[in-house]
Each structure stands twice: as C-alpha cells, then as structure tokens.
Amino acid sequence: MKIVFGPISSRRFGLSLGVDLSPALKQCNFDCVYCELSAAKGIKQQNLVVSVKEILDEVSLSLEKGVEFDVLTLTANGEPSLYPHLKELIMALKKMLKDKKILILSNGTAVLDRDKFEALLELDIVKLSLDSAISKTFYKIDRALKSIDLNLMIEKMTEFSKLFKGELVIEILVVSGFNDTIEEFKALDKALEKISPLRVDLSTIDRPPAYPVKAVSEQKLNELAKFIKSVPVVIAKRHFSEEKKLDLSKEELLKMLYLRPQNELDVQMKFSDETLKNLNELLTKGRVRILDLAGVKFYKADEIR
C-alpha cells in the first residue's frame, strides 16, 4: 500500500505530492459513471482505514528525501473525506509542512458532515465536485447514496464558502448525454452564483470510465462554458487547439476581459502576437490586472472607458 505518490505536475495547482487516504481499495459514497476506478457500490464510511501514523511516516520520509512540491494533495481511491481521522490528520500535516499548502479533492459530500466541514476549513485549498444542480441528473451521473441530498449539499457548499479563508474551487465533469445541455448549465450557474467559488474547472472524460459513457468535445465544453456567467472558468485542454488566433484591438480586448476574464492558458492558445502585444500594453497602463485564483492566473478588466 503506497500512501504517498508523485509529485505530479498540475497546470492548475503546481507541483503536487499526493496522499491516498484509501490506498488499498475503492471506498466512496459515489459510484460515478465516469470514474477511472472499477464500478463499486457506494458506502457510508471506510471499512479499511490506514492509521494517521502510517500516513505521517510516509509524508515525513518524502520530506527527508527532499522531495520538492508546491502543494500536498489529499485524495483517495474514492472519497477522501470518508477518512475517519481527517481533522487529526490535517492538523498534524499543518505542523509538519509549515510553508506548504494542503489541498483536498472531494466529491462535495464533505460539507454534509459537520466534523468534516470543520476539518476542511483548516485547509489552504478545497476542490469540490458539482456535476449537476438538478437532482435527477446528479443521481444518474454520480450514482450517489440516496441519503445524499443535492440541494442540501449546495446549501452547505454556500455556507462553507462564506466561512472558508482559503481558496475554493468547484469542478464540473461533463458526460455526453448526461449533463451536457444548456438547461444543466443554467442550473449550475445559479448554484455557482450562490456558492461563489474562486473559479470553476470544467472537464470531460479523458481516461477509460467505469461505465460505457462518452466524453464531449472540446468545442462542446467551450459552448457550455459560456453559460457559466457567475464565476471564472478553466477548461481542461486535452490538446492544443488549432483554431484561428484572435486578433483583438485594445478596445475589443478590454470588452472581452470585462465581460469574461480569460485564464493564462486561453491567452497563450487563442491570442495572436498582436493581441498579446495589446494585452501587455493594457497591463502596463493598469487597464487590465492579473488575478491569481487558486493557482491559475486570470486577466480581467474592471471597466470599459
């Protein structure tokens, strides 16, 4: 059972050292159709639990070896917040790591348990999944335990966001024929407006899934992203797009960045050399500013003169 793995280079979080809180088998309260692990019936709590000491010993060994990383990521073969000693572990890791950030990748249900909710408040970065804001679709795509109430989860995410001092990110994974409609994304936008995370990460299937479901195209992701108006969006790119580069005047650029901030990857991939030159001039004049939203840079204009 290897608990600590990596580090892995992440475009969205930097160099990440992973900690698997369920290293021996899948233990999750979801059975998502797109999961890269084998299908398995959802459970309420972990049945096989590694000790806090085992985890800390492996992390300590990585530190002794001088392994370089930016963020320690709590994850699992399943849902990491099912780990019963989460608060104890987080507090111990904070003392051990000191200047390193700690991140958790949760399916969102952590906020439904008060102890786990409070444990997550101690973290630097929290990434929660929200694949649908419509109950019928939510159960269809995430195959969650029936005791999990989607509307309550959205309410608790909203409460968490208001209390959390760190960086909150929401992830949406789009599956063809499930949550890839305008109706779904308008509902998601309303939920995201309430939750108010720093950013949304939008992606689709890129590994063999547990069930016979399919990814959507990058073009489809871009179309759906337009309906998320309340929060900046990062679209996971599986390859570099060959679409024509955008030639934008300073005025056109200001309008775009006022209505919809662009992240650094989009700027690199979509903007022509002339547009990049205009962007740099606007940055120098203070007409455009750079926001760091949980490790991803966004370019934003605050006003159009």
Side-chain angles (χ1 to χ4, degrees):
M1 293 193 308
K2 187 164 178 60
I3 297 168
V4 175
F5 59 96
I8 296 168
S9 181
S10 165
R11 228 180 17 241
R12 289 171 279 185
F13 295 107
L15 202 57
S16 166
L17 186 68
V19 175
D20 190 338
L21 301 186
S22 179
L25 76 165
K26 179 178 177 179
Q27 299 185 97
C28 193
N29 48 8
F30 283 8
D31 183 26
C32 300
V33 295
Y34 57 75
C35 185
E36 63 196 67
L37 304 173
S38 298
K41 188 177 179 181
I43 58 173
K44 290 184 178 180
Q45 59 188 25
Q46 285 192 353
N47 298 312
L48 185 61
V49 180
V50 293
S51 70
V52 171
K53 184 180 184 304
E54 287 177 275
I55 297 169
L56 295 177
D57 284 348
E58 279 207 28
V59 174
S60 179
L61 186 60
S62 293
L63 295 176
E64 288 171 13
K65 290 180 178 178
V67 175
E68 293 186 7
F69 60 97
D70 302 310
V71 61
L72 186 91
T73 301
L74 301 177
T75 182
N77 284 315
E79 170 53 30
S81 73
L82 292 185
Y83 184 66
H85 313 302
L86 190 62
K87 179 74 174 282
E88 179 187 350
L89 175 64
I90 288 171
M91 300 311 290
L93 287 171
K94 286 179 72 171
K95 289 181 182 177
M96 178 183 287
L97 297 173
K98 296 177 183 177
D99 61 336
K100 301 291 186 183
K101 289 186 175 183
I102 306 176
L103 156 72
I104 194 168
L105 305 178
S106 169
N107 63 17
T109 57
V111 297
L112 292 172
D113 180 294
R114 196 67 207 179
D115 289 340
K116 304 299 172 62
F117 183 109
E118 292 177 358
L120 265 58
L121 289 174
E122 300 292 335
L123 295 170
D124 301 291
I125 310 170
V126 170
K127 187 171 187 177
L128 305 175
S129 292
L130 185 64
D131 295 324
S132 177
I134 299 173
S135 290
K136 184 178 179 180
T137 309
F138 168 72
Y139 289 113
K140 186 179 175 185
I141 190 171
D142 290 339
R143 297 171 61 87
L145 292 174
K146 293 302 179 184
S147 58
I148 295 169
D149 185 323
L150 173 63
N151 293 324
L152 179 59
M153 191 167 80
I154 291 171
E155 284 180 23
K156 291 298 181 181
M157 285 182 179
T158 303
E159 181 186 343
F160 180 82
S161 180
K162 290 174 181 176
L163 295 173
F164 188 43
K165 305 300 182 186
E167 301 167 322
L168 177 63
V169 178
I170 297 291
E171 179 170 38
I172 302 167
L173 193 141
V174 183
V175 179
S176 179
F178 285 74
N179 59 342
D180 57 346
T181 66
I182 294 172
E183 178 192 11
E184 286 286 338
F185 270 73
K186 284 185 175 180
L188 278 165
D189 189 48
K190 286 182 180 179
L192 291 166
E193 188 173 13
K194 293 177 186 176
I195 299 166
S196 191
L198 279 178
R199 71 168 204 257
V200 167
D201 288 348
L202 185 61
S203 62
T204 190
I205 300 167
D206 62 0
R207 295 172 187 169
Y211 292 89
V213 292
K214 296 181 180 179
V216 298
S217 67
E218 188 176 305
Q219 180 182 349
K220 184 69 172 180
L221 285 180
N222 280 295
E223 290 171 1
L224 293 171
K226 293 175 183 176
F227 294 95
I228 302 294
K229 302 178 186 298
S230 56
V231 186
V233 179
V234 174
I235 299 175
K237 305 286 184 182
R238 287 173 289 173
H239 55 79
F240 285 98
S241 174
E242 295 181 0
E243 64 185 74
K244 186 179 178 183
K245 301 279 187 177
L246 296 175
D247 280 313
L248 301 173
S249 68
K250 293 187 183 72
E251 291 72 22
E252 290 170 328
L253 197 49
L254 282 170
K255 185 174 182 180
M256 171 190 271
L257 299 181
Y258 175 74
L259 295 173
R260 189 174 184 82
Q262 299 289 303
N263 68 69
E264 56 189 331
L265 185 61
D266 284 333
V267 166
Q268 293 167 12
M269 292 175 61
K270 297 194 298 189
F271 287 6
S272 69
D273 290 342
E274 186 63 28
T275 305
L276 289 172
K277 180 182 174 183
N278 288 335
L279 176 61
N280 286 327
E281 286 184 23
L282 291 169
L283 283 166
T284 301
K285 293 177 180 178
R287 307 273 317 268
V288 171
R289 59 193 176 101
I290 298 175
L291 306 176
D292 188 325
L293 303 184
V296 175
K297 291 179 181 176
F298 276 81
Y299 295 83
K300 176 177 173 58
D302 291 322
E303 60 179 347
I304 308 172
R305 296 174 192 166

